Amino acid sequence: MRKRLFIGLLVISLFFLLLLFAGAWWLVSYRGLVINKIILTFITAAVVFLLFMLVTGLAAMVWSLWRARTIPLLHNIMLSATNMLFPLAIAIGKGLGLSEDRVKNSFINVSNHLVRGRDYARPFKNIIILAPHCLQWVYCPHKITIDVHNCRECGRCPVSTLLKIARRYDVQLRVVTGGTFARKVVRDVKPEAIVAIACERDLTSGIQDIAGLPVIGIVNERPEGPCFNTKVDYGKVEEAIQFFLKGGLR
């Protein structure tokens, strides 16, 4: 049943593409018809509008990065332009020989810069630190993904220090096993702002999925390889919390 479902969706997708191609051929071949002129005008207007939105969003983003301050009215357009162009940027980057992680790292830096360029008008109170499970010492017997306070704070991994930071600033620390769990935590806790620690892949997808919330992403350090005894820069974590606690630029 599972295989038939996927094959069925592939067949429907193929028919959709064939239908799209046949429609385009009909519009171009009989463009003298009134109905075709109307449809082509509508499609052209939609494409021009989309390109205008992309150019506006990209220009606003460059201006915001240059001035270190975002344009609130254009914030959603900037996010939309970024999300639409992101897959293409990844593909072009690969074509130029750039690793996917390098492009995603650059995206995270741009996203952080845009978040830091906003004045949120009020201090945030409900802030969470979302940390990946791979920060925990790999041989630790204590499960901390359900309750991080199960941590014995032995100091063998960054979790104990992150707990101290969370207590110092009165924010929540949640340790998650992956993107799906992280999204569940966000739905349950409903934070006002997030300090997210993860690898480039998880941070990129997470930031795009929860575009309505201010997120500062901090890429973890992987001295022993991916998903194994990773580390984090505590200074960056504290600086991000302090930024949200004072409500952005002030």
Side-chain angles (χ1 to χ4, degrees), residues 1-13:
M1 177 60 187
R2 292 177 180 173
K3 292 176 184 174
R4 286 201 297 272
L5 175 64
F6 182 63
I7 296 298
L9 290 174
L10 286 180
V11 172
I12 292 172
S13 301

Side-chain angles (χ1 to χ4, degrees), residues 6 18 23 30 42 48 83 99 113 115 151 155-156 174 176-177 191 202 217 223-224 242-243:
F6 182 63
L18 290 173
Y30 299 94
F42 177 78
V48 169
N83 288 336
S99 72
H113 207 89
V115 170
C151 173
R156 283 187 167 178
R174 301 295 294 266
V176 295
T177 51
D202 287 349
E224 299 182 48
Q242 290 166 359
F243 171 81

Side-chain angles (χ1 to χ4, degrees), residues 1-241:
M1 177 60 187
R2 292 177 180 173
K3 292 176 184 174
R4 286 201 297 272
L5 175 64
F6 182 63
I7 296 298
L9 290 174
L10 286 180
V11 172
I12 292 172
S13 301
L14 180 60
F15 272 111
F16 177 75
L17 288 175
L18 290 173
L19 190 65
L20 203 61
F21 176 78
W25 177 83
W26 179 72
L27 283 173
V28 174
S29 299
Y30 299 94
R31 55 183 176 273
L33 296 175
V34 175
I35 184 66
N36 286 15
K37 287 181 180 176
I38 294 173
I39 294 174
L40 284 170
T41 301
F42 177 78
I43 292 174
T44 303
V47 171
V48 169
F49 178 74
L50 178 63
L51 290 174
F52 174 76
M53 296 293 284
L54 290 175
V55 170
T56 302
L58 198 56
M61 185 187 300
V62 172
W63 188 91
S64 297
L65 294 174
W66 179 45
R67 299 295 302 270
R69 181 176 285 272
T70 61
I71 307 170
L73 286 175
L74 298 179
H75 192 72
N76 288 334
I77 295 177
M78 283 189 284
L79 290 177
S80 299
T82 303
N83 288 336
M84 282 190 276
L85 293 174
F86 184 71
L88 185 60
I90 290 286
I92 292 174
K94 283 183 179 177
L96 294 174
L98 301 173
S99 72
E100 195 169 312
D101 273 356
R102 186 175 172 188
V103 178
K104 288 181 175 177
N105 196 300
S106 180
F107 164 81
I108 293 162
N109 278 294
V110 169
S111 175
N112 287 348
H113 207 89
L114 293 178
V115 170
R116 292 174 189 278
R118 294 185 65 183
D119 184 351
Y120 295 93
R122 64 183 175 84
F124 291 111
K125 294 180 179 176
N126 187 7
I127 302 167
I128 62 170
I129 306 170
L130 270 180
H133 183 253
C134 59
L135 285 175
Q136 187 180 24
W137 181 50
V138 71
Y139 300 113
C140 182
H142 305 289
K143 189 175 180 63
I144 59 171
T145 50
I146 301 300
D147 184 359
V148 71
H149 297 100
N150 285 333
C151 173
R152 297 298 185 268
E153 302 191 42
C154 66
R156 283 187 167 178
C157 70
V159 176
S160 57
T161 302
L162 289 177
L163 269 171
K164 292 182 177 70
I165 291 173
R167 283 196 292 264
R168 185 180 308 147
Y169 294 101
D170 193 23
V171 302
Q172 293 190 55
L173 169 65
R174 301 295 294 266
V175 176
V176 295
T177 51
T180 303
F181 193 7
R183 291 174 190 87
K184 181 182 183 307
V185 169
V186 172
R187 284 197 302 272
D188 293 344
V189 176
K190 296 181 174 55
E192 295 174 309
I194 301 171
V195 178
I197 305 164
C199 62
E200 286 87 350
R201 183 193 62 186
D202 287 349
L203 274 181
T204 302
S205 61
I207 289 171
Q208 289 181 314
D209 285 351
I210 48 179
L213 281 175
V215 180
I216 291 182
I218 300 170
V219 177
N220 59 3
E221 300 163 8
R222 289 152 282 184
E224 299 182 48
C227 309
F228 193 87
N229 289 339
T230 58
K231 308 291 181 187
V232 65
D233 186 328
Y234 305 120
K236 290 181 180 178
V237 175
E238 288 199 72
E239 193 275 334
I241 295 171

